[in-house]
Amino acid sequence: MELRQLEHFVTVAEERHFTRAAELLQISQSGLSASIRSLEQELGTSLFIRSTRRVELTTAGQALLADSVRTLASAAAARDAVAAVRGLQRGRLTVGAEPCLGSVDLPAELAAFRTANPGVEVRLRQTGSVELVDAVANGQVDVALVVDTGHTPVGVRLRRLSTQDLLVLCHPDHRYSGEESLPIESLRGETMIGFQEGWGAQALTRRAFAAAGLDYRPAMEVNDVHPLLDLVGYDLGVAVVPASFARKRPDTLRAVPLSGDVPKWTVAVAASEEPSPAAAAFLRQVSIA
């Protein structure tokens, strides 16, 4: 069993598609299929259930996936450690980020890092904070810019960058727009617009509602801040968001502070407690190592 085969297997497992996996790996589809068949023959079992549209992991494939991810992460860390001893910065840095955190200019940081470390391949993955923290824990992501939702797996350290308040965002004609502040209890029965499961604002809002004895069930869910602002702008509901979101539409939407014991929007960098040399360099760059 070779590391190359494990990389092929993990890529197919993540993409659920041989053609897309071959494109990412920059090899032919026939070569990728041959590599997977060879691995299956060595293990004596099928790893994928193949169909004309997508592939799914078999039970054996599911068992192999987690260990394969860890093995590849360990191999990459070993290569990076040797490169660091030789005075080189090589390898790969995978950065995760929840969009619109309101604290870090991520494109500028990535550009600066690549300029300072031209031998490191930089990759970016954007999704919700909960998934990204788990991805750091299992070695799929090296560092992640996230919202601290209280979910920190073993082996992951959160380094705080900034903190801001949560508030209620509504249409200027909404009955809340003239309020100086609102307790979270006032949102009982209100039509809510929120983010999908695992995103920072969703996790913090759910926690605030639960602390107040309320059930948080948004009528509309999005995975980006701009659709949320549009929906609030059409007075289709209200949203609980950090102050930086409200500053994107100061002339068209009304922001009302939340009173009482409400969670803070804390932006942090999640990384392994023992980061790779490339990850450590990125942490130093953002001045939090």
Coordinates of all heavy atoms in Angstrom, one line a residue, residues 72-151:
L72 N -2.0 10.3 5.7 CA -1.5 11.3 4.8 C -1.1 12.6 5.5 O -0.1 13.2 5.1 CB -2.6 11.6 3.7 CG -2.9 10.5 2.8 CD1 -4.1 10.9 1.9 CD2 -1.7 10.2 1.9
A73 N -1.9 13.0 6.5 CA -1.5 14.2 7.3 C -0.2 14.0 8.0 O 0.6 14.9 8.1 CB -2.6 14.5 8.3
S74 N 0.0 12.8 8.6 CA 1.3 12.5 9.3 C 2.5 12.5 8.3 O 3.5 13.0 8.6 CB 1.2 11.1 9.9 OG 0.2 11.1 11.0
A75 N 2.2 12.0 7.1 CA 3.3 12.0 6.1 C 3.6 13.4 5.6 O 4.8 13.7 5.5 CB 2.9 11.1 4.9
A76 N 2.6 14.2 5.5 CA 2.8 15.6 5.1 C 3.6 16.4 6.2 O 4.5 17.2 5.9 CB 1.5 16.3 4.8
A77 N 3.2 16.1 7.4 CA 3.9 16.7 8.6 C 5.4 16.3 8.6 O 6.2 17.2 8.9 CB 3.2 16.4 9.9
A78 N 5.6 15.1 8.3 CA 7.0 14.6 8.4 C 7.8 15.3 7.3 O 9.0 15.7 7.5 CB 7.0 13.1 8.2
R79 N 7.3 15.4 6.1 CA 8.0 16.1 5.0 C 8.2 17.5 5.3 O 9.3 18.0 5.1 CB 7.2 16.0 3.7 CG 7.1 14.6 3.0 CD 6.6 14.6 1.6 NE 5.2 15.0 1.6 CZ 4.2 14.2 1.6 NH1 4.4 12.9 1.7 NH2 2.9 14.6 1.6
D80 N 7.2 18.2 5.9 CA 7.4 19.6 6.3 C 8.5 19.8 7.3 O 9.2 20.7 7.3 CB 6.1 20.2 6.8 CG 5.1 20.3 5.6 OD1 5.5 20.3 4.5 OD2 3.9 20.5 5.9
A81 N 8.5 18.8 8.3 CA 9.5 18.9 9.4 C 10.9 18.8 8.8 O 11.8 19.5 9.2 CB 9.3 17.8 10.4
V82 N 11.1 17.9 7.9 CA 12.4 17.7 7.2 C 12.8 19.0 6.5 O 13.9 19.5 6.5 CB 12.5 16.5 6.3 CG1 13.8 16.4 5.5 CG2 12.3 15.2 7.2
A83 N 11.8 19.5 5.7 CA 12.1 20.7 5.0 C 12.5 21.9 5.9 O 13.3 22.7 5.6 CB 10.8 21.1 4.1
A84 N 11.8 22.0 7.0 CA 12.1 23.1 8.0 C 13.5 22.9 8.5 O 14.2 23.9 8.6 CB 11.1 23.0 9.1
V85 N 14.0 21.7 8.8 CA 15.3 21.5 9.3 C 16.3 21.9 8.2 O 17.4 22.5 8.5 CB 15.6 20.0 9.6 CG1 17.0 19.7 9.9 CG2 14.7 19.7 10.9
R86 N 16.0 21.7 7.0 CA 16.9 22.1 5.9 C 16.8 23.6 5.5 O 17.4 24.1 4.6 CB 16.5 21.3 4.6 CG 16.8 19.8 4.8 CD 16.2 19.1 3.6 NE 16.8 19.5 2.3 CZ 16.3 19.2 1.1 NH1 15.2 18.6 1.0 NH2 17.0 19.7 0.0
G87 N 16.0 24.3 6.3 CA 15.8 25.8 6.0 C 14.9 26.1 4.9 O 14.9 27.2 4.3
L88 N 14.0 25.1 4.5 CA 13.1 25.3 3.4 C 11.7 25.3 3.9 O 11.4 24.7 4.9 CB 13.3 24.2 2.4 CG 14.6 24.0 1.7 CD1 14.6 22.8 0.9 CD2 15.0 25.2 0.9
Q89 N 10.8 26.0 3.2 CA 9.4 25.9 3.5 C 8.7 25.3 2.3 O 8.5 26.0 1.3 CB 8.8 27.3 3.8 CG 9.1 27.8 5.2 CD 8.3 27.0 6.3 OE1 7.4 26.2 5.9 NE2 8.6 27.1 7.5
R90 N 8.5 24.0 2.4 CA 7.8 23.3 1.2 C 6.6 22.6 1.7 O 6.3 22.6 2.9 CB 8.8 22.4 0.6 CG 10.0 23.0 0.0 CD 10.9 22.1 -0.8 NE 12.1 22.7 -1.3 CZ 12.1 23.5 -2.4 NH1 11.0 23.7 -3.1 NH2 13.2 24.0 -2.8
G91 N 5.9 22.0 0.8 CA 4.7 21.2 1.2 C 3.5 21.9 0.9 O 3.4 22.7 -0.1
R92 N 2.5 21.8 1.7 CA 1.1 22.3 1.4 C 0.5 22.9 2.7 O 0.7 22.4 3.8 CB 0.2 21.2 0.9 CG -1.2 21.6 0.7 CD -2.1 20.4 0.3 NE -1.6 19.8 -0.9 CZ -2.0 18.6 -1.4 NH1 -2.9 17.9 -0.7 NH2 -1.5 18.1 -2.5
L93 N -0.2 24.0 2.5 CA -0.9 24.6 3.6 C -2.4 24.7 3.2 O -2.7 25.4 2.3 CB -0.4 26.0 4.0 CG -1.2 26.8 5.0 CD1 -0.9 26.2 6.4 CD2 -0.8 28.3 5.1
T94 N -3.2 24.0 3.9 CA -4.7 24.1 3.7 C -5.3 25.0 4.7 O -5.3 24.7 5.9 CB -5.3 22.7 3.7 OG1 -4.7 21.9 2.7 CG2 -6.8 22.8 3.4
V95 N -5.9 26.1 4.3 CA -6.5 27.0 5.2 C -8.0 26.9 5.0 O -8.5 26.9 3.9 CB -6.1 28.5 4.8 CG1 -6.7 29.5 5.7 CG2 -4.5 28.6 4.9
G96 N -8.7 26.8 6.1 CA -10.2 26.9 6.1 C -10.7 28.2 6.6 O -10.0 28.9 7.4
A97 N -11.9 28.6 6.2 CA -12.4 29.9 6.6 C -13.9 29.9 6.5 O -14.4 29.5 5.4 CB -11.8 31.1 5.9
E98 N -14.6 30.4 7.5 CA -16.0 30.7 7.4 C -16.0 32.1 6.7 O -15.4 33.0 7.2 CB -16.7 30.7 8.7 CG -18.2 31.1 8.6 CD -19.0 30.8 9.8 OE1 -18.8 29.8 10.5 OE2 -19.9 31.7 10.1
P99 N -16.8 32.3 5.7 CA -16.8 33.6 5.0 C -17.4 34.7 5.9 O -18.1 34.5 6.8 CB -17.8 33.4 3.8 CG -17.8 31.9 3.6 CD -17.6 31.3 4.9
C100 N -16.9 36.0 5.6 CA -17.4 37.2 6.2 C -17.3 37.2 7.8 O -18.2 37.5 8.5 CB -18.9 37.4 5.9 SG -19.2 37.6 4.1
L101 N -16.1 36.9 8.2 CA -15.9 36.9 9.7 C -15.7 38.3 10.2 O -15.9 38.5 11.4 CB -14.6 36.0 10.0 CG -14.7 34.5 9.8 CD1 -13.4 33.9 10.0 CD2 -15.8 33.9 10.7
G102 N -15.3 39.2 9.4 CA -15.3 40.6 9.8 C -14.1 40.9 10.7 O -14.1 41.9 11.4
S103 N -13.0 40.1 10.5 CA -11.8 40.4 11.4 C -10.5 40.3 10.6 O -9.6 41.0 10.9 CB -11.7 39.3 12.5 OG -10.6 39.5 13.3
V104 N -10.4 39.4 9.6 CA -9.2 39.2 8.9 C -9.4 39.4 7.4 O -10.4 38.9 6.8 CB -8.7 37.7 9.1 CG1 -7.4 37.5 8.3 CG2 -8.4 37.5 10.6
D105 N -8.5 40.1 6.7 CA -8.5 40.2 5.3 C -7.8 38.9 4.7 O -6.6 38.9 4.5 CB -7.8 41.5 4.8 CG -7.9 41.7 3.3 OD1 -8.3 40.8 2.6 OD2 -7.5 42.8 2.9
L106 N -8.6 37.9 4.5 CA -8.0 36.6 4.2 C -7.3 36.6 2.9 O -6.1 36.1 2.8 CB -9.1 35.5 4.2 CG -8.6 34.1 3.9 CD1 -7.5 33.7 4.9 CD2 -9.7 33.1 4.0
P107 N -7.8 37.1 1.8 CA -7.1 37.2 0.5 C -5.7 37.8 0.7 O -4.7 37.3 0.1 CB -8.0 37.9 -0.4 CG -9.4 37.7 0.1 CD -9.2 37.7 1.6
A108 N -5.7 38.9 1.4 CA -4.4 39.6 1.6 C -3.4 38.8 2.4 O -2.2 38.7 2.1 CB -4.6 41.0 2.3
E109 N -3.9 38.1 3.4 CA -3.1 37.2 4.2 C -2.5 36.0 3.4 O -1.4 35.7 3.5 CB -3.8 36.7 5.4 CG -4.2 37.7 6.5 CD -3.0 38.3 7.2 OE1 -1.9 37.8 7.1 OE2 -3.2 39.3 8.0
L110 N -3.4 35.4 2.6 CA -2.9 34.3 1.7 C -1.9 34.8 0.7 O -0.9 34.1 0.5 CB -4.1 33.7 1.0 CG -5.1 33.0 1.9 CD1 -6.3 32.4 1.1 CD2 -4.5 31.9 2.7
A111 N -2.1 36.0 0.1 CA -1.1 36.5 -0.8 C 0.2 36.8 -0.2 O 1.3 36.5 -0.7 CB -1.7 37.8 -1.4
A112 N 0.2 37.3 1.1 CA 1.4 37.6 1.8 C 2.1 36.3 2.1 O 3.4 36.3 2.0 CB 1.1 38.4 3.0
F113 N 1.4 35.3 2.5 CA 2.0 34.1 2.9 C 2.7 33.4 1.7 O 3.8 32.9 1.8 CB 1.0 33.1 3.5 CG 1.5 31.8 3.9 CD1 2.1 31.7 5.2 CD2 1.5 30.7 3.1 CE1 2.7 30.4 5.6 CE2 2.1 29.5 3.5 CZ 2.7 29.4 4.7
R114 N 2.0 33.4 0.6 CA 2.5 32.8 -0.6 C 3.8 33.5 -1.1 O 4.7 32.9 -1.6 CB 1.5 32.7 -1.7 CG 1.9 31.8 -2.9 CD 0.8 31.5 -3.9 NE 0.4 32.7 -4.6 CZ -0.5 32.7 -5.5 NH1 -1.1 31.6 -5.9 NH2 -0.9 33.8 -6.1
T115 N 3.8 34.8 -1.0 CA 5.0 35.6 -1.4 C 6.2 35.3 -0.5 O 7.3 35.1 -0.9 CB 4.7 37.1 -1.3 OG1 3.6 37.4 -2.2 CG2 5.9 37.9 -1.6
A116 N 5.9 35.1 0.8 CA 7.0 34.8 1.8 C 7.4 33.4 1.7 O 8.5 33.1 2.1 CB 6.5 35.2 3.2
N117 N 6.5 32.5 1.3 CA 6.8 31.1 1.3 C 6.4 30.5 -0.1 O 5.5 29.7 -0.2 CB 6.0 30.3 2.4 CG 6.3 30.9 3.7 OD1 7.2 30.6 4.4 ND2 5.4 31.8 4.2
P118 N 7.2 30.8 -1.1 CA 6.8 30.4 -2.5 C 6.9 28.9 -2.7 O 6.3 28.4 -3.7 CB 7.8 31.1 -3.4 CG 9.0 31.4 -2.5 CD 8.4 31.6 -1.1
G119 N 7.5 28.2 -1.9 CA 7.6 26.7 -2.0 C 6.4 26.0 -1.5 O 6.3 24.8 -1.6
V120 N 5.5 26.7 -0.8 CA 4.4 26.0 -0.1 C 3.1 26.2 -1.0 O 2.8 27.3 -1.4 CB 4.1 26.6 1.2 CG1 2.9 26.0 1.9 CG2 5.3 26.5 2.1
E121 N 2.5 25.1 -1.3 CA 1.2 25.1 -2.1 C 0.1 25.5 -1.1 O -0.1 24.9 -0.1 CB 0.9 23.8 -2.7 CG -0.4 23.7 -3.4 CD -0.8 22.3 -3.8 OE1 0.0 21.4 -3.6 OE2 -1.9 22.1 -4.4
V122 N -0.6 26.6 -1.4 CA -1.7 27.1 -0.5 C -3.1 26.7 -1.1 O -3.4 26.9 -2.3 CB -1.6 28.6 -0.4 CG1 -2.7 29.1 0.5 CG2 -0.3 29.0 0.2
R123 N -3.9 26.1 -0.2 CA -5.2 25.7 -0.6 C -6.2 26.3 0.3 O -5.9 26.6 1.5 CB -5.4 24.2 -0.6 CG -4.6 23.4 -1.7 CD -5.0 22.0 -1.8 NE -4.4 21.3 -2.9 CZ -4.6 20.1 -3.2 NH1 -5.5 19.3 -2.5 NH2 -4.0 19.5 -4.3
L124 N -7.4 26.6 -0.2 CA -8.5 27.3 0.7 C -9.7 26.5 0.6 O -10.2 26.0 -0.5 CB -8.7 28.7 0.1 CG -9.9 29.5 0.8 CD1 -9.6 29.7 2.3 CD2 -10.1 30.8 0.1
R125 N -10.4 26.3 1.8 CA -11.7 25.6 1.9 C -12.6 26.5 2.7 O -12.3 26.9 3.8 CB -11.4 24.3 2.6 CG -12.7 23.5 2.9 CD -12.3 22.2 3.5 NE -13.5 21.4 4.0 CZ -13.4 20.3 4.6 NH1 -12.3 19.7 4.8 NH2 -14.5 19.6 5.0
Q126 N -13.8 26.8 2.2 CA -14.7 27.6 2.9 C -16.0 26.8 3.2 O -16.6 26.2 2.4 CB -15.1 28.9 2.0 CG -14.0 29.9 1.9 CD -14.5 31.2 1.3 OE1 -15.3 31.2 0.4 NE2 -14.1 32.3 1.9
T127 N -16.4 26.9 4.5 CA -17.6 26.2 5.0 C -17.8 26.8 6.4 O -17.2 27.7 6.8 CB -17.5 24.7 4.9 OG1 -18.8 24.1 5.2 CG2 -16.5 24.2 5.9
G128 N -18.8 26.1 7.1 CA -19.1 26.6 8.4 C -18.0 26.3 9.5 O -17.2 25.4 9.3
S129 N -18.1 27.0 10.6 CA -17.0 26.9 11.6 C -17.0 25.5 12.3 O -15.9 25.0 12.5 CB -17.2 28.0 12.7 OG -17.0 29.3 12.1
V130 N -18.1 24.9 12.6 CA -18.1 23.6 13.2 C -17.4 22.6 12.4 O -16.6 21.8 12.9 CB -19.5 23.2 13.6 CG1 -19.6 21.8 14.2 CG2 -20.2 24.2 14.6
E131 N -17.7 22.5 11.1 CA -17.1 21.6 10.2 C -15.6 21.8 10.1 O -14.8 20.9 10.0 CB -17.8 21.6 8.8 CG -17.2 20.6 7.8 CD -17.9 20.7 6.5 OE1 -19.0 21.1 6.4 OE2 -17.2 20.3 5.5
L132 N -15.2 23.1 10.0 CA -13.8 23.4 9.9 C -13.0 23.0 11.1 O -11.8 22.5 10.9 CB -13.6 24.9 9.6 CG -14.1 25.4 8.2 CD1 -14.0 26.9 8.1 CD2 -13.2 24.8 7.1
V133 N -13.5 23.2 12.3 CA -12.8 22.8 13.5 C -12.6 21.3 13.5 O -11.5 20.8 13.9 CB -13.5 23.3 14.8 CG1 -12.9 22.7 16.0 CG2 -13.5 24.8 14.8
D134 N -13.6 20.6 13.1 CA -13.5 19.1 13.0 C -12.4 18.7 11.9 O -11.7 17.7 12.1 CB -14.8 18.5 12.6 CG -15.8 18.4 13.8 OD1 -15.3 18.5 14.9 OD2 -17.0 18.4 13.5
A135 N -12.4 19.5 10.8 CA -11.4 19.2 9.7 C -10.0 19.5 10.2 O -9.0 18.8 9.8 CB -11.7 20.1 8.5
V136 N -9.8 20.4 11.1 CA -8.5 20.6 11.7 C -8.1 19.4 12.6 O -7.0 18.9 12.6 CB -8.4 21.9 12.6 CG1 -7.1 22.0 13.4 CG2 -8.6 23.2 11.7
A137 N -9.1 19.0 13.4 CA -8.9 17.8 14.3 C -8.5 16.6 13.5 O -7.6 15.8 14.0 CB -10.1 17.6 15.1
N138 N -9.0 16.3 12.4 CA -8.7 15.1 11.6 C -7.6 15.3 10.6 O -7.4 14.3 9.8 CB -10.0 14.5 11.0 CG -10.6 15.4 10.0 OD1 -10.0 16.1 9.2 ND2 -12.0 15.3 9.9
G139 N -7.0 16.4 10.5 CA -5.9 16.6 9.7 C -6.2 17.1 8.2 O -5.3 17.2 7.4
Q140 N -7.5 17.3 7.9 CA -7.8 17.7 6.6 C -7.5 19.2 6.3 O -7.4 19.6 5.2 CB -9.3 17.4 6.3 CG -9.6 16.0 6.3 CD -11.1 15.7 6.1 OE1 -12.0 16.2 6.9 NE2 -11.5 15.0 5.0
V141 N -7.5 20.0 7.4 CA -7.2 21.4 7.3 C -6.1 21.7 8.3 O -6.1 21.2 9.4 CB -8.5 22.3 7.6 CG1 -8.1 23.7 7.7 CG2 -9.5 22.1 6.5
D142 N -5.1 22.6 7.9 CA -4.0 22.9 8.8 C -4.4 24.0 9.8 O -4.1 24.0 11.0 CB -2.8 23.4 7.9 CG -2.3 22.2 7.1 OD1 -2.0 21.2 7.6 OD2 -2.2 22.4 5.8
V143 N -5.0 25.1 9.3 CA -5.4 26.2 10.1 C -6.8 26.7 9.6 O -7.1 26.6 8.4 CB -4.4 27.4 10.1 CG1 -3.1 27.0 10.8 CG2 -4.2 27.9 8.7
A144 N -7.6 27.2 10.5 CA -9.0 27.6 10.0 C -9.4 28.8 10.8 O -9.2 28.9 12.0 CB -10.0 26.5 10.3
L145 N -9.9 29.8 10.0 CA -10.4 31.0 10.6 C -11.9 30.8 10.9 O -12.7 30.6 9.9 CB -10.2 32.2 9.6 CG -8.8 32.6 9.4 CD1 -8.6 33.4 8.1 CD2 -8.2 33.3 10.6
V146 N -12.3 30.8 12.1 CA -13.6 30.3 12.5 C -14.2 31.3 13.6 O -13.6 32.1 14.1 CB -13.6 28.9 13.1 CG1 -13.0 27.9 12.1 CG2 -12.7 28.8 14.4
V147 N -15.5 31.0 13.8 CA -16.2 31.6 15.0 C -16.1 30.6 16.1 O -16.4 29.4 15.9 CB -17.7 31.9 14.6 CG1 -18.4 32.5 15.9 CG2 -17.8 32.9 13.5
D148 N -15.8 31.0 17.3 CA -15.7 30.1 18.4 C -17.2 29.8 18.9 O -17.9 30.6 19.5 CB -15.0 30.8 19.6 CG -14.8 29.9 20.8 OD1 -15.3 28.8 20.8 OD2 -14.2 30.4 21.8
T149 N -17.6 28.6 18.6 CA -18.9 28.2 18.9 C -19.0 27.3 20.2 O -20.0 26.8 20.6 CB -19.5 27.3 17.8 OG1 -18.8 26.1 17.6 CG2 -19.5 28.1 16.4
G150 N -17.8 27.2 20.8 CA -17.7 26.3 22.0 C -17.4 24.9 21.7 O -17.2 24.1 22.6
H151 N -17.2 24.6 20.4 CA -16.9 23.2 19.9 C -15.4 23.2 19.6 O -15.0 23.7 18.6 CB -17.7 22.9 18.7 CG -17.3 21.6 18.0 ND1 -17.4 20.3 18.7 CD2 -16.8 21.3 16.8 CE1 -17.0 19.4 17.9 NE2 -16.6 19.9 16.7

